[in-house]
Amino acid sequence: MSDPSAASRPVQAVVLAGGQGSRLRPYTDDRPKPMVEIPGTGTPIIGHQLSWLAEEGVTDVVVSCGHLAEVLQTWLDTADLPVSVTTVVESEPLGRGGGLKYAAERLPHPDQPWYATNGDIWTRFSLRDMADFHAERDAIATLALARPRLPWGAVKTDGFGHITDFIEAPPSTFEINAGVYVFSPEFTDLLPQRGDHERTTFPRLAREQRLAGFTIPQGSYWRAIDTAKDLTEAAKELAATGR
């Protein structure tokens, strides 16, 4: 028996892979950030992302390149990929929103919804569930939300100022934008030609109650690879969980 919600799930995605990755140097001296390998896997970050997208039903991906684009393009051309990949390179900086629009206009099915992900995110959760959540709320855009662990230890105190406990790297009390999205077809037209959609398009949709937030389920893996320490921690977590 067919699943009626499957029709509203995207089969196409944009990966934003143009960042400089300055905080990951020296790893990014000769390659873009998404080409940095997760230690112990033999695969760069973007390789993990494309595998995940394919597992979630995606068949076509547009990769937006920037810093050292030719290194990423060469790998994509030679790797055995589970999806069909097209690359785009901005001839001039368009900003986050303009760059997203430029890439989205190359998607093969402009009349269908699409996923997007930042090129430095390593995660595993059900994009199908997120797409269903997006459709149920009649949203134009849905953001995945994560509750990352703080990089510092925390303390608990009682009402008299006495310290009662120490907590190593507790989860944040706030949810953050996890860098993974579901967009309805009309979202592309709402993006600026140049500039930052998080300061224009997202606030507008929030005012109209057409912007949704999907909390990544507890126990699902999520990490942004921003620094060398993130690579080390990802390798530890991989060894501990066998992911």
Side-chain angles (χ1 to χ4, degrees):
M1 188 172 180
S2 62
D3 183 352
S5 61
S8 62
R9 294 172 186 160
V11 296
Q12 56 187 357
V14 169
V15 175
L16 298 171
Q20 291 270 345
S22 55
R23 290 196 294 164
L24 260 174
R25 286 178 179 153
Y27 297 101
T28 50
D29 284 345
D30 62 353
R31 70 196 63 197
K33 196 175 184 183
M35 280 300 299
V36 174
E37 180 186 318
I38 302 292
T41 69
T43 304
I45 298 167
I46 193 166
H48 292 281
Q49 291 184 321
L50 295 177
S51 294
W52 174 51
L53 290 170
E55 290 165 7
E56 294 295 325
V58 171
T59 57
D60 293 271
V61 176
V62 176
V63 178
S64 177
C65 308
H67 174 63
L68 296 174
E70 65 281 359
V71 177
L72 178 53
Q73 289 172 318
T74 298
W75 184 83
L76 291 169
D77 287 341
T78 57
D80 182 16
L81 302 176
V83 291
S84 175
V85 174
T86 303
T87 60
V88 297
V89 182
E90 298 168 27
S91 57
E92 57 180 326
L94 300 174
R96 290 194 295 176
L100 187 60
K101 186 183 188 78
Y102 182 70
E105 287 173 343
R106 272 69 180 175
L107 288 167
H109 310 291
D111 59 339
Q112 295 179 21
W114 48 289
Y115 298 117
T117 180
N118 295 343
D120 59 355
I121 301 299
W122 190 30
T123 186
R124 283 291 188 277
F125 65 90
S126 174
L127 284 175
R128 292 180 174 90
D129 288 350
M130 185 176 172
D132 293 348
F133 178 95
H134 171 84
E136 287 162 3
R137 280 146 189 83
D138 195 27
I140 291 178
T142 296
L143 286 60
L145 305 177
R147 199 182 293 273
R149 291 194 172 274
L150 299 177
W152 314 282
V155 295
K156 278 188 175 181
T157 60
D158 62 17
F160 298 99
H162 300 119
I163 292 175
T164 59
D165 199 5
F166 293 89
I167 307 167
E168 185 64 29
S172 168
T173 55
F174 293 98
E175 292 180 312
I176 66 163
N177 179 349
V180 180
Y181 311 89
V182 182
F183 296 131
S184 294
E186 59 266 40
F187 180 76
T188 306
D189 290 335
L190 301 178
L191 286 164
Q193 293 288 346
R194 187 186 303 270
D196 188 349
H197 61 293
E198 295 194 8
R199 297 187 177 184
T200 54
T201 312
F202 279 174
R204 171 185 166 186
L205 291 177
R207 289 192 296 271
E208 296 172 357
Q209 294 190 318
R210 302 297 298 278
L211 184 68
F214 174 82
T215 300
I216 294 175
Q218 188 172 2
S220 298
Y221 186 81
W222 179 90
R223 179 174 285 277
I225 308 295
D226 288 323
T227 65
K229 183 178 179 182
D230 289 321
L231 281 175
T232 303
E233 292 299 317
K236 285 181 185 175
E237 289 158 356
L238 177 72
T241 62
R243 290 178 185 274

